[in-house]
Amino acid sequence: MEEQKRGCASIVFNNPVYVHEYASIVGKKEGKGPLGQFFDFIEEDELFGEKSWEKAESKMQQRMLNILFDKAKLKPSDIRYMCGGDLLGQLIATTFGVKEFNIPIFGLYGACSTMGESISIASMLINGGYANNIIAFTSSHYAGAEKNYRFPLDYGNQKPLAATTTVTGAGGVVLSNKNNNKGIRVKGITTGKIVDYGVKDSMNMGACMAPAAADVIYNNFKDLSVDADYYDQIITGDLGNVGKEILLDIMDKKGYGIKGKYMDCGIEIYYSDIQGTLSGGSGCGCSAVTLCGYIFDKMKKKQWNRILFVPTGALLSPVSFNEGESVPGIAHGVIFENC
Amino acid sequence: MEEQKRGCASIVFNNPVYVHEYASIVGKKEGKGPLGQFFDFIEEDELFGEKSWEKAESKMQQRMLNILFDKAKLKPSDIRYMCGGDLLGQLIATTFGVKEFNIPIFGLYGACSTMGESISIASMLINGGYANNIIAFTSSHYAGAEKNYRFPLDYGNQKPLAATTTVTGAGGVVLSNKNNNKGIRVKGITTGKIVDYGVKDSMNMGACMAPAAADVIYNNFKDLSVDADYYDQIITGDLGNVGKEILLDIMDKKGYGIKGKYMDCGIEIYYSDIQGTLSGGSGCGCSAVTLCGYIFDKMKKKQWNRILFVPTGALLSPVSFNEGESVPGIAHGVIFENC
């Protein structure tokens, strides 16, 4: 399938693409959540020592990348390309976060699906022979996202139960054509389309994204001629409690039930009952830090040997929402397996 | 060089990537400029029949893509991936412009360098065997960009001579692994880094981007062991009159003069003296429509047989600018040649 088939949305790689190293950094709230022990660094200061939320997010990316270089025992000059982005308009957290590393970069925007998009492109570029090492990364910051998409925190607006809480976190992975001791590889990818069910509620992004996630999971199953049994876990990015039920329902109706094999990073990352996070976590950082913390840890311990990782994005801007547009969804799937 | 060399920013493709077809659509002002005759369609209505500038830009993308499908004699299902984006926050012009085509998409943001970024990624994916046909595309709209980055048009703000005029236009190209009668191919790419000279004037983006363009052109020359003689033309995206002089100066100082072989899409697209466009055109659409109109026409007529196309982007947002940040630049180079 490496040579693509007509109508097929998936690529399975013949030459392995390895997870060389990974790193994650989160804010205080995420550090106190159920996955706190799996992150490389928990920053107590929400401003990361900076004077604005945007600069805080850039600093968070920088720190995550420095941790990643240390763990990977690589220098910036060992990295051929960076593939990544963030949620802020014009990707400014990324621009100011990575510019000092002086690495050729492809700026990506897939809303909260960005970690799936960046790993997909990076994997194809490595598998195609264009690079030895590529960093795929993304981030989000709760306060920056609220300011960008909704209201500044000082406004103190209330949110409905279907709303999610943007994760403060940055995650990155060095993908490589050489096998390190991690023993995890990217087996393949399934690339998403923009799926619009006409939902206009930006406080219910799970409902906007669930059909896109279902589309990717369904296409993955069809393209590889498999079903949920093929995977130890199928993991969406940030559907939250509301989106989860919609996804499970759609998959049941398609005849490919995934219950029992399914988790959502946004549901796992907080104690929603005591942390007041409503429907769950969201943001590019949500799936990125869960992957680069909890998920890869489960794989290293061989508790999971093959997973389908499906970060999910809600495609809106403050302008499109205020102009009454719907919120389309997108998702990008990546198959990781132990080798 | 298809297998990358350490420290090298360029890829030269062994398996050709062909320009299968291309299309361009522009607004009234661009239609009246020096390149008017080369565009596929000139829309007299600045709103493209829609009610907002954002929707206008989405409609413009849709129309351009429909023209592209017609010219290419392809259906959306013949296209494996789309790679593209726009200038608006969260790429909403693209989201609502392309969603009906139902094609897997990688959303990209490289500011006005996006056409170079999208062609670079699309070329590697085709050359790597992951796709037969990919559309690389982008757009910008004067009124939408002014509203997003500066002031709504109704405000009537004045601009300095160093400011540029965002081009209303959308350009797209179908890249393919099969040779069509066009006879133009992507020979290689040179991927840019974020280059920040600390310029903080968002009304002088040429000065912000010129060092990034120089970096890409210089790396291209070094990586391929060539100089300006290798190309019939070296073409930047939207440096304008101010940025052009800075670029020529930097290249002279590096010992690789490019005068006499150089043009800038932003300078060519308007009659700046009579159209009141100040330093020239800018925006993702500027280099995209010049490529998919004028430049490919010159190549088809064999007036140019090998060019280096270097779209240039200024990495800012209204937030970063208002917070006093600098405006870093980025550029992505693509070598096109007749075959």
Side-chain angles (χ1 to χ4, degrees):
Chain A
M1 202 181 321
E2 190 160 322
E3 177 65 24
Q4 40 99 28
K5 286 188 294 195
R6 190 183 169 101
C8 163
S10 305
I11 301 279
V12 172
F13 297 120
N14 292 329
N15 302 321
V17 177
Y18 298 102
V19 175
H20 178 83
E21 194 50 88
Y22 47 86
S24 59
I25 176 168
V26 297
K28 189 162 64 173
K29 186 168 198 157
E30 293 71 24
K32 287 183 176 159
L35 310 184
Q37 61 175 299
F38 298 103
F39 304 122
D40 289 306
F41 192 79
I42 297 162
E43 172 59 58
E44 297 292 316
D45 175 10
E46 290 174 340
L47 277 164
F48 286 69
E50 295 289 340
K51 289 187 176 163
S52 73
W53 301 123
E54 295 77 18
K55 286 192 170 98
E57 188 171 344
S58 295
K59 177 62 77 71
M60 180 168 62
Q61 282 197 5
Q62 265 173 31
R63 286 211 197 144
M64 181 277 293
L65 290 166
N66 281 322
I67 294 169
L68 184 56
F69 284 122
D70 281 351
K71 287 177 73 177
K73 298 186 176 62
L74 293 174
K75 300 181 302 296
S77 60
D78 296 320
I79 304 297
R80 173 74 166 180
Y81 300 116
M82 300 188 79
C83 298
D86 60 86
L87 281 180
L88 300 180
Q90 289 80 39
L91 309 188
I92 51 164
T94 300
T95 291
F96 295 102
V98 311
K99 66 176 182 166
E100 306 299 341
F101 294 104
N102 216 20
I103 299 169
I105 183 164
F106 293 116
L108 308 180
Y109 184 78
C112 307
S113 75
T114 300
M115 197 63 179
E117 181 183 0
S118 62
I119 292 172
S120 295
I121 291 177
S123 297
M124 287 192 278
L125 299 193
I126 286 173
N127 186 253
Y130 306 115
N132 295 330
N133 301 309
I134 299 180
I135 291 177
F137 71 103
T138 190
S139 71
S140 55
H141 190 294
Y142 174 67
E146 288 293 310
K147 175 180 160 188
N148 191 126
Y149 286 93
R150 298 181 183 113
F151 297 99
L153 294 187
D154 304 353
Y155 183 79
N157 68 311
Q158 291 197 311
K159 294 199 277 188
L161 280 174
T164 49
T165 302
T166 303
V167 164
T168 298
V173 52
V174 178
L175 296 173
S176 176
N177 59 358
K178 293 185 188 62
N179 196 1
N180 192 305
N181 56 356
K182 298 294 165 194
I184 301 169
R185 68 176 185 181
V186 179
K187 184 185 175 68
I189 60 170
T190 301
T191 302
K193 297 170 285 197
I194 298 170
V195 177
D196 188 4
Y197 271 32
V199 181
K200 293 195 174 188
D201 184 357
S202 75
M203 293 290 186
N204 188 354
M205 294 195 294
C208 305
M209 298 185 288
D215 193 58
V216 162
I217 297 168
Y218 177 76
N219 283 332
N220 179 275
F221 288 176
K222 297 284 281 185
D223 293 345
L224 275 71
S225 304
V226 299
D227 60 19
D229 290 342
Y230 184 65
Y231 297 104
D232 294 317
Q233 199 77 227
I234 295 163
I235 304 166
T236 51
D238 50 358
L239 297 186
N241 290 309
V242 176
K244 169 187 175 174
E245 296 304 324
I246 299 172
L247 172 66
L248 293 177
D249 197 43
I250 298 174
M251 292 307 296
D252 279 346
K253 284 186 178 146
K254 285 178 184 281
Y256 284 98
I258 59 172
K259 271 189 198 113
K261 284 289 182 75
Y262 171 72
M263 68 168 256
D264 179 68
C265 300
I267 296 174
E268 302 297 323
I269 199 164
Y270 296 122
Y271 295 112
S272 65
D273 46 349
I274 58 169
Q275 291 193 293
T277 49
L278 305 168
S279 185
S282 63
C284 304
C286 179
S287 59
V289 300
T290 305
L291 178 73
C292 297
Y294 177 69
I295 297 171
F296 283 152
D297 186 78
K298 291 280 275 188
M299 294 191 72
K300 273 175 71 179
K301 291 174 178 158
K302 312 288 183 197
Q303 290 167 337
W304 294 335
N305 287 306
R306 186 186 293 124
I307 64 154
L308 179 59
F309 175 63
V310 188
T312 38
L315 298 168
L316 81 161
S317 82
V319 175
S320 70
F321 174 70
N322 285 325
E323 287 180 354
E325 291 278 5
S326 60
V327 182
I330 193 163
H332 293 292
V334 182
I335 309 165
F336 291 102
E337 67 177 18
N338 284 325
C339 50
Chain B
M1 202 180 323
E2 190 160 322
E3 179 64 24
Q4 39 102 25
K5 286 188 293 194
R6 189 182 170 101
C8 161
S10 305
I11 301 278
V12 173
F13 297 119
N14 292 329
N15 301 321
V17 176
Y18 298 103
V19 174
H20 179 85
E21 193 52 87
Y22 46 87
S24 59
I25 176 168
V26 296
K28 190 162 65 172
K29 186 167 196 157
E30 293 71 26
K32 286 183 177 161
L35 310 183
Q37 62 176 298
F38 298 102
F39 304 122
D40 289 306
F41 192 80
I42 297 163
E43 172 59 58
E44 297 291 317
D45 175 11
E46 290 174 340
L47 276 164
F48 286 69
E50 295 290 339
K51 288 187 177 164
S52 73
W53 300 123
E54 294 77 17
K55 288 193 169 100
E57 188 171 344
S58 295
K59 177 63 76 71
M60 180 168 63
Q61 282 197 5
Q62 264 174 33
R63 286 212 196 142
M64 181 277 291
L65 290 166
N66 281 322
I67 294 169
L68 184 57
F69 285 121
D70 281 351
K71 286 177 72 177
K73 299 186 176 62
L74 292 174
K75 302 182 299 297
S77 59
D78 297 319
I79 305 297
R80 173 73 165 178
Y81 301 116
M82 301 188 78
C83 296
D86 60 85
L87 281 181
L88 301 179
Q90 289 79 38
L91 309 189
I92 53 165
T94 300
T95 291
F96 295 101
V98 310
K99 66 177 182 165
E100 305 299 342
F101 294 104
N102 217 20
I103 299 169
I105 183 165
F106 294 116
L108 308 180
Y109 183 78
C112 309
S113 75
T114 300
M115 198 63 180
E117 182 183 0
S118 62
I119 292 171
S120 295
I121 291 177
S123 297
M124 287 192 278
L125 299 193
I126 286 174
N127 185 254
Y130 307 114
N132 295 330
N133 301 309
I134 299 180
I135 291 178
F137 70 103
T138 190
S139 70
S140 54
H141 190 295
Y142 174 67
E146 288 292 311
K147 176 181 160 188
N148 191 124
Y149 287 92
R150 298 181 184 115
F151 297 99
L153 294 188
D154 304 355
Y155 181 80
N157 68 310
Q158 290 197 313
K159 292 199 277 187
L161 280 174
T164 49
T165 302
T166 303
V167 164
T168 298
V173 52
V174 178
L175 296 173
S176 176
N177 59 357
K178 294 186 187 62
N179 196 1
N180 192 302
N181 56 356
K182 299 292 166 193
I184 300 169
R185 69 176 183 180
V186 179
K187 184 185 175 68
I189 61 170
T190 301
T191 302
K193 295 169 286 195
I194 298 172
V195 178
D196 187 4
Y197 271 32
V199 181
K200 293 194 173 187
D201 183 359
S202 75
M203 292 289 186
N204 188 354
M205 295 195 295
C208 305
M209 299 185 288
D215 192 58
V216 163
I217 297 168
Y218 177 75
N219 282 332
N220 179 274
F221 288 176
K222 296 284 281 185
D223 292 345
L224 275 72
S225 304
V226 300
D227 60 19
D229 290 343
Y230 185 64
Y231 296 105
D232 294 318
Q233 199 77 230
I234 295 163
I235 303 166
T236 51
D238 50 359
L239 296 187
N241 290 310
V242 176
K244 169 187 175 174
E245 295 305 324
I246 298 172
L247 172 67
L248 293 177
D249 197 42
I250 297 174
M251 292 307 296
D252 279 345
K253 284 184 180 148
K254 284 178 184 279
Y256 284 98
I258 60 172
K259 273 189 196 114
K261 283 289 180 74
Y262 173 73
M263 69 168 254
D264 179 69
C265 300
I267 296 174
E268 302 297 322
I269 199 164
Y270 295 122
Y271 295 112
S272 64
D273 47 347
I274 58 171
Q275 290 191 294
T277 48
L278 304 169
S279 185
S282 64
C284 304
C286 179
S287 59
V289 300
T290 305
L291 178 73
C292 297
Y294 177 69
I295 296 171
F296 283 152
D297 186 79
K298 291 280 276 190
M299 293 192 72
K300 274 175 69 179
K301 290 174 179 160
K302 313 288 183 195
Q303 290 166 338
W304 294 335
N305 287 307
R306 185 186 296 123
I307 64 154
L308 179 60
F309 175 63
V310 188
T312 37
L315 297 168
L316 79 161
S317 82
V319 174
S320 69
F321 174 70
N322 285 324
E323 288 181 353
E325 290 279 7
S326 60
V327 183
I330 193 164
H332 292 293
V334 181
I335 308 165
F336 290 103
E337 66 177 18
N338 283 324
C339 50

